Amino acid sequence: PFTIMATVYPSSLNQASYGFGTGGTIVDAEEAGYNDGASAHSTTPGYALGITSTGHLWWWPYDGGDVYSSATIPLNTWTIVELTYDGQNACFYINSTLDICHAAGAPGTPSFTKIGGKSWIAGYFAGSISNVQFYNTALTASQMAQLNKG
């Protein structure tokens, strides 16, 4: 179980991103590390958290089971985004309010983490990222709200 929290201020969502689309990477933890049986990628596990070109949060765990938020992240606005994983479900929170949960596979333990950049696609987060936090438990909405006070 874990939680990733970050405060983001996207100014554009047109950077090279997921599946050769566009968006913005928030956290990339050796995201190229998948092996789908058909591609010659590293077998090192990883994950990625970002925003798609339509403003939805995007989570890619090691198993390739992409999931998306239902709400969108606005441009040119500071927004707290949170993702929790409890061992079975990935839940998106926006400003410490639950958006949606999806069944999701577990990511592996990567050997490196990048903030605002991709490991295998040239692209970056256009805007600002602040206060990135990682927790080794799936925090509750009230715990996140308490941490984000101030």
Side-chain angles (χ1 to χ4, degrees), residues 13-73:
L13 295 173
N14 62 1
Q15 301 307 312
S17 191
Y18 324 111
F20 303 102
T22 61
T25 302
I26 299 169
V27 174
D28 175 357
E30 205 162 11
E31 178 266 329
Y34 69 92
N35 186 350
D36 61 12
S39 301
H41 294 281
S42 163
T43 57
T44 304
Y47 61 84
L49 173 65
I51 305 175
T52 67
S53 61
T54 58
H56 293 90
L57 290 172
W58 173 79
W59 168 251
W60 180 89
Y62 173 64
D63 73 351
D66 299 38
V67 293
Y68 303 88
S69 67
S70 60
T72 57
I73 305 304

Side-chain angles (χ1 to χ4, degrees), residues 40-135:
H41 294 281
S42 163
T43 57
T44 304
Y47 61 84
L49 173 65
I51 305 175
T52 67
S53 61
T54 58
H56 293 90
L57 290 172
W58 173 79
W59 168 251
W60 180 89
Y62 173 64
D63 73 351
D66 299 38
V67 293
Y68 303 88
S69 67
S70 60
T72 57
I73 305 304
L75 290 176
N76 303 312
T77 302
W78 284 105
T79 305
I80 301 169
V81 298
E82 300 113 341
L83 176 98
T84 64
Y85 182 73
D86 64 6
Q88 295 181 347
N89 296 295
C91 297
F92 293 102
Y93 292 79
I94 299 171
N95 294 318
S96 303
T97 300
L98 177 63
D99 174 56
I100 193 167
C101 292
H102 300 278
T109 303
S111 60
F112 70 87
T113 300
K114 294 173 92 176
I115 296 173
K118 301 278 292 157
S119 60
W120 65 282
I121 297 174
Y124 58 91
F125 186 89
S128 298
I129 300 174
S130 175
N131 201 25
V132 178
Q133 301 172 53
F134 298 87
Y135 295 89

Side-chain angles (χ1 to χ4, degrees), residues 5-7 80 82 95-97 131 133 135 139-150:
M5 297 170 44
T7 305
I80 301 169
E82 300 113 341
N95 294 318
S96 303
T97 300
N131 201 25
Q133 301 172 53
Y135 295 89
L139 298 174
T140 66
S142 62
Q143 288 172 318
M144 287 185 273
Q146 187 66 29
L147 288 167
N148 290 322
K149 277 186 175 179

